Amino acid sequence: MVTSNSIYLDHAATTPVHPNVLQAMLPYFTEQFGNPSTIASFGQDARRGLEKARTSIARVLGCLPTEIVFTSCGTESDNLAIKGVAQASRGRGNHIVTSVIEHEAVLHSCQALERQDYQVTYVPVDRYGVVDPAAVEAAITERTVLISIMSANNEVGTIQPVTEIGAVARRYKIPFHTDAVQAAGVLDLNVDRLGVDLLALSAHKFSAPKGVGLLYVRSGTPLEPQQHGGSQERRRRAGTENVPYIVGMATALERAQSHRDDYRAHTMSLRDELIAGVLEQVPGSVLTGHPTQRLPNNSSFCIPGVESGMVLRALDMQGIAVSSGSACTSASMTPSHVLLAMGVPPALAHGALRMTLGIDTSAEQIARVMEVLPAAVERARTLSAAF
Ligand code: PLP
């Protein structure tokens, strides 16, 4: 059971909604609740909220408001980017370049296209989980219609050289998509500086609710809608817009952007304390992901001799929420595709542990985790050895 003493170290999975974000949303449930596509005043009030949110998000991304497509989540945004560009470009080619460490939203979209006669090159990564821009360039063929490389990895936190890959994409005039779901509020999201043509975000990763996201689509980028119906979102995504959630997402993104420096400084110093503590006090533990080019709130490890689930449950019983890596795959017994791609041996990958901090994480909480974790690992090791 979650109590006021619970410690939440799973911010990469999702974040609590900030009270100011909730406040900004509330009027759009009960007062300005109209359908933004209707002409009557109720609809127009909702439309004003929707367009204000679009403009505020466009300011953060440095793009035109018309280049933003609201969606239901990061997964939908990735699907729309990949399938949308691939299908709209079918006359020109059928090849996509992506990486082996993408989120399933990207990987499974690419696999779905492979079943429809598209070809996909999955560029490898080094042992820190970094994609080499030269490898992306080497994978390009005359048939390449899209490059998709994530901004930062959700499991190990490695930040990718997006700007360099963007420069490669520009040189070859190939649309470039980045899944920036883990980057909001942490990294620069300016689409021109990044050199991206498509960028996916998910609101629940930055203190807004689950069930809303967006896709930035640079003007002129070919895009086949994946959902058919009304003419919302300039015919790129049919369906009545979720106005309260979109207003919440815009409020949260502005907040995240303006608090970026504080957030980075706060999480990074506690994260480094946590990393040092684990490496020192949990024998054999190894840090996964890049030692410095990583998200400021991400600490991820592999712990030999244990299965992550045992440690997770032991910590959970002490009121500490951590993860084995991706929230989407943590229920499966298959070791993470990200760790395997980085060359981590499967036996070691079974002991993956991810702790992701938030702005409310305190030094006392980190100290408490370090009181509990070494003993929990020892117990799990003893139990594992007994079977
Ligand atoms: N991409 C990345 C990198 C993620 O971390 C996630 C969620 O964890 C997603 C996509 C999917 O986002 P959503 O949960 O909004 O569908």
Side-chain angles (χ1 to χ4, degrees):
M1 195 179 71
V2 177
T3 70
S4 56
N5 291 328
S6 296
I7 298 175
Y8 184 73
L9 293 184
D10 201 10
H11 289 83
T14 197
T15 56
V17 174
H18 191 275
N20 293 359
V21 172
L22 182 61
Q23 279 307 315
M25 293 168 61
L26 288 177
Y28 291 92
F29 287 108
T30 50
E31 294 156 28
Q32 284 113 276
F33 62 84
N35 185 321
S37 296
T38 59
I39 289 166
S41 303
F42 277 104
Q44 291 312 298
D45 282 355
R47 160 109 359 231
R48 265 190 293 282
L50 180 65
E51 295 313 325
K52 196 166 152 239
R54 201 187 299 278
T55 305
S56 126
I57 291 170
R59 235 182 345 250
V60 174
L61 304 189
C63 68
L64 298 171
T66 50
E67 294 175 313
I68 288 169
V69 180
F70 291 124
T71 66
S72 67
C73 59
T75 298
E76 186 192 336
S77 301
D78 284 335
N79 271 260
L80 177 57
I82 291 162
K83 296 177 192 166
V85 171
Q87 290 168 7
S89 313
R90 195 63 185 93
R92 264 174 292 137
N94 66 341
H95 178 241
I96 296 167
V97 178
T98 188
S99 84
V100 283
I101 48 118
E102 299 297 312
H103 187 271
E104 283 79 359
V106 168
L107 291 178
H108 293 177
S109 293
C110 286
Q111 288 161 11
L113 288 172
E114 283 180 295
R115 291 192 290 274
Q116 294 166 20
D117 206 23
Y118 286 82
Q119 285 162 6
V120 181
T121 301
Y122 300 90
V123 173
V125 291
D126 67 13
R127 68 192 176 110
Y128 297 125
V130 182
V131 175
D132 181 357
V136 172
E137 180 164 8
I140 293 171
T141 73
E142 283 185 349
R143 308 281 296 157
T144 307
V145 292
L146 179 69
I147 297 171
S148 179
I149 304 290
M150 69 198 322
S151 298
N153 184 263
N154 46 303
E155 295 186 31
V156 296
T158 299
I159 297 169
Q160 301 300 334
V162 172
T163 310
E164 288 84 340
I165 297 167
V168 171
R170 282 270 174 290
R171 227 175 310 130
Y172 289 83
K173 296 189 170 48
I174 298 169
F176 176 32
H177 165 60
T178 192
D179 172 343
V181 166
Q182 292 289 337
V186 188
L187 304 180
D188 184 14
L189 292 180
N190 182 288
V191 292
D192 288 339
R193 281 198 291 272
L194 292 173
V196 298
D197 302 297
L198 303 113
L199 179 146
L201 289 182
S202 172
H204 72 100
K205 309 292 184 178
F206 51 92
S207 306
K210 293 158 207 43
V212 62
L214 68 88
L215 180 67
Y216 155 76
V217 186
R218 189 178 292 277
S219 303
T221 307
L223 190 82
E224 182 68 28
Q226 298 301 303
Q227 194 157 297
H228 301 99
S231 55
Q232 291 92 351
E233 299 302 293
R234 298 180 160 243
R235 299 188 186 280
R236 293 164 299 186
R237 197 272 188 181
T240 303
E241 291 93 347
N242 188 345
V243 180
Y245 280 45
I246 289 167
V247 168
M249 174 164 64
T251 309
L253 191 61
E254 248 180 50
R255 271 197 91 259
Q257 190 67 8
S258 59
H259 291 73
R260 217 170 90 187
D261 291 346
D262 290 347
Y263 171 86
R264 282 181 73 88
H266 177 76
T267 54
M268 206 185 278
S269 91
L270 291 177
R271 176 204 69 185
D272 289 347
E273 225 171 89
L274 183 59
I275 290 176
V278 172
L279 296 181
E280 202 182 295
Q281 294 176 50
V282 178
S285 57
V286 286
L287 181 70
T288 50
H290 197 280
T292 54
Q293 286 300 309
R294 64 187 303 134
L295 293 171
N297 73 330
N298 176 295
S299 63
S300 52
F301 308 89
C302 278
I303 301 179
V306 296
E307 192 272 304
S308 331
M310 291 173 81
V311 180
L312 254 64
R313 279 187 287 277
L315 292 180
D316 195 39
M317 279 163 66
Q318 302 283 334
I320 301 169
V322 303
S323 152
S324 61
S326 145
C328 320
T329 50
S330 55
S332 95
M333 287 297 285
T334 325
S336 141
H337 68 281
V338 175
L339 294 175
L340 297 183
M342 288 162 52
V344 175
L348 187 57
H350 275 294
L353 183 71
R354 178 186 74 179
M355 294 186 271
T356 45
L357 288 59
I359 194 69
D360 294 327
T361 306
S362 66
E364 292 70 33
Q365 291 181 336
I366 298 301
R368 172 78 187 133
V369 171
M370 287 318 306
E371 265 170 37
V372 173
L373 180 65
V377 169
E378 259 335 289
R379 253 192 320 276
R381 278 181 175 152
T382 311
L383 279 172
S384 294
F387 285 104

